[in-house]
Amino acid sequence: MPVIDVSDLTKYYGAVVGVDGVSFAVEEGEIFGFLGPNGAGKTTTIRLLIQLLHPDRGRVAVFGIPLDAPKADLRERIGYLPGEFNPYLTMTGARFLAYMARYRARPPVLRPFLLDTLKLTEKALKQPIKHLSHGNRQKLGIVLALEHEPDLAILDEPTLGLDPLMQEAFYDILRRLHDKGKTIFLSSHVLSEVEKVCGRIAIVRGGQLVALESLETLKQKRPRRLTVVLEETDEPPVLPGARLLSQEAGRFDYLVEGPIRTVLGALAALPVQDVVFPEPDLEDVFMAYYQEPSS
Amino acid sequence: MISGHYIANIFRSHRALLIFAFLMVGTFQVLIVALVIGADLLGMIEQFFRTLPPQVQYVIGEQFLAQFSVNGAVAFGYAHPLVIVMMCIVAILLPSRHVAGEIETGTLELLLALPVRRPTVAVSLWSASGLALLMLVVGCWAGSAVGLLLYPETRSMPLIKLVEIGINLWLLMAAVSSYTLLMASYVREGGKATLRASGLTLFFYFLNVAVVMSPDLRFLRLFSLFYYHYPQLLMEDGSLLIRNGFVLGAVILLCGTLAVRQVSRRDIPG
């Protein structure tokens, strides 16, 4: 049974599309990446999952329970970090965590571990939140979202404002939760982040889902770059299923869109000096999906 | 249905304002009693009114001076603009800041992602506003009680009347707070909710003034909430509390219920 099951989810803000006909499922114990450019519908989808927004059409079930079912309140089992984390600025960090924890029945069992891992010191927690740096506020948000060891963590741009060291610490936290069988729904536009921790990703653009694959499948499906260096020729060879991008003194760059086997067969008959066939870059994949269909 | 944590947090966030308002309305009631007993009040009032513009003398003087007595003056403390303004600030500020204001700042999104139901938040806020206003009414009662203790000449003052007047004042302010909550539940900016609720309150207030100034407009008096809080009249006719309680109670229930429903149904941030 999927932890999140979204079917034909649609939300409009007047005439403006939020999401339109989005369907996907997130399995238990999965780290699921949710990618898209600004305004693509990531935050709208998340707010629909948290029941902050009400869908115009479609169905959302979390832990197998439809969110529109009477008395469906699953938030005890969910941890949520919004894209823009805005705590009560006049409270101290410690009081803020204590106040918010009172609304949950689950105790904040992971708080010491999270504070320690994210290097959120006692001194920082004693300060009013308005005096904390953006990075420390974001750490506070991560602690709030995960301290009760939720079965499902929904995190919208969680590494925003964290330095690279803290980002690594955060990925460790995610891996630890993953090892415990927790499900993580991670919205991000940081490609390296998704590449590091996610097993499957969905890409949204213009409110619609344009891809839903495992990371490996997605990379394999997309066009790959190929650089061929030939001996004693400036004439680019014709490779079936490959499009010439550029050339310079016997060095030819292609974009391989067809089967790799055909291209390799064609190369075998040529005076090849060198072949560079780089690992598919997620950024290429990402950009290909991000581009508007017209472009 | 009601969250004690939430109510405590609201009181904590506004403790400076509430303590100041409590002391101010209380001290004001002591001063009223002191003025009535310790000074030649009527002489002073008449002298004061001579300094006011003729229109103001007409508006305030006719009703105020006609009913002036020790009891009437003490009752006037519960309808004085200073007390009304102070209580309106609390009645308007709390709902607008904690619904629309918190949607604007994003803190309501955080709170509603926790296992707390929206009706609980709305009802708790409604209750917190009512409790804060009750605290200010208690401040008024405490001020009057101190004044009456300091001046034994006023022991003939029927204390039950002050209780009735205080209840009527609370009902008026709870009505203001309830329609503010309703307005705040439809917008996403705290400033907009405050402005609209303040505008409506001023409209009610000046409608009441206009009705007093112009007998031709008397038919409009029923549409001003301030018509249902007239302490001097209540001092003489206790049955008015039932009428006032019925009208103000209906406004409180209707606006409060609609507000809770709207908070539960609306998109956040929307």
Side-chain angles (χ1 to χ4, degrees), chain B residues 25 83-92 133 136-137 169 173:
Chain B
V25 296
V83 173
I84 295 293
V85 166
M86 200 69 240
M87 293 191 73
C88 278
I89 288 173
V90 172
I92 291 172
L133 294 168
L136 299 192
V137 171
L169 176 61
M173 288 303 145

Side-chain angles (χ1 to χ4, degrees), chain B residues 115-196:
Chain B
V116 56
R117 291 182 172 276
R118 291 187 189 202
T120 303
V121 171
V123 173
S124 301
L125 177 55
W126 197 16
S127 311
S129 304
L131 282 174
L133 294 168
L134 183 62
M135 182 181 138
L136 299 192
V137 171
V138 169
C140 288
W141 281 332
S144 297
V146 170
L148 298 180
L149 281 174
L150 288 174
Y151 298 94
E153 307 92 297
T154 58
R155 285 203 180 138
S156 60
M157 170 83 67
L159 290 178
I160 187 68
K161 288 291 176 193
L162 282 183
V163 173
E164 287 175 0
I165 290 168
I167 291 170
N168 202 148
L169 176 61
W170 181 84
L171 285 167
L172 173 69
M173 288 303 145
V176 172
S177 186
S178 298
Y179 66 63
T180 305
L181 184 64
L182 180 59
M183 287 174 162
S185 68
Y186 278 93
V187 294
R188 53 180 292 181
E189 293 100 9
K192 198 180 273 185
T194 305
L195 205 65
R196 286 180 184 177

Side-chain angles (χ1 to χ4, degrees), chain A residues 99-114:
Chain A
Y99 171 64
M100 299 302 259
R102 284 194 194 120
Y103 290 101
R104 289 185 179 130
R106 286 188 174 195
V109 287
L110 289 185
R111 190 186 292 173
F113 161 72
L114 292 168

Side-chain angles (χ1 to χ4, degrees), chain B residues 36 50 56 64 72 85 87 90 108 122 125 130 144 154 169 184 192 200 217 219 224 230 232 250 266:
Chain B
V36 172
R50 271 187 233 112
V56 179
F64 183 64
V85 166
M87 293 191 73
V90 172
L108 195 62
L125 177 55
S144 297
T154 58
L169 176 61
K192 198 180 273 185
L200 185 62
L217 297 174
F219 69 98
S224 170
Y230 217 114
Q232 291 97 328
R266 69 165 290 167

Side-chain angles (χ1 to χ4, degrees), chain A residues 150-166:
Chain A
D151 298 325
L152 168 63
I154 298 177
L155 310 169
D156 193 359
E157 306 284 358
T159 53
L160 213 68
L162 297 185
D163 62 48
L165 213 61
M166 280 303 114

Side-chain angles (χ1 to χ4, degrees), chain A residues 11 13 47 50-54 71-73 75-76 78 80 82 84-88 91 95-96 99-100 102-105 144, chain B residues 3 5-7 9 12-13 98 102 104-118 264-270:
Chain A
K11 177 71 184 176
Y13 302 104
R47 285 178 171 155
I50 300 289
Q51 293 175 283
L52 293 169
L53 300 178
H54 300 91
K71 297 195 175 178
D73 196 349
R75 285 168 291 181
E76 188 66 57
I78 297 175
Y80 171 55
E84 285 178 32
F85 176 65
N86 295 303
Y88 295 99
M91 285 186 187
R95 203 181 107 63
F96 173 72
Y99 171 64
M100 299 302 259
R102 284 194 194 120
Y103 290 101
R104 289 185 179 130
L144 177 69
Chain B
S3 166
H5 309 311
Y6 186 80
I7 293 175
N9 185 50
R12 195 184 166 106
S13 329
H98 290 281
E102 286 207 29
E104 187 178 7
T105 59
T107 46
L108 195 62
E109 179 174 350
L110 278 181
L111 188 67
L112 294 178
L114 299 172
V116 56
R117 291 182 172 276
R118 291 187 189 202
S264 305
R265 289 159 57 112
R266 69 165 290 167
D267 285 340
I268 291 174

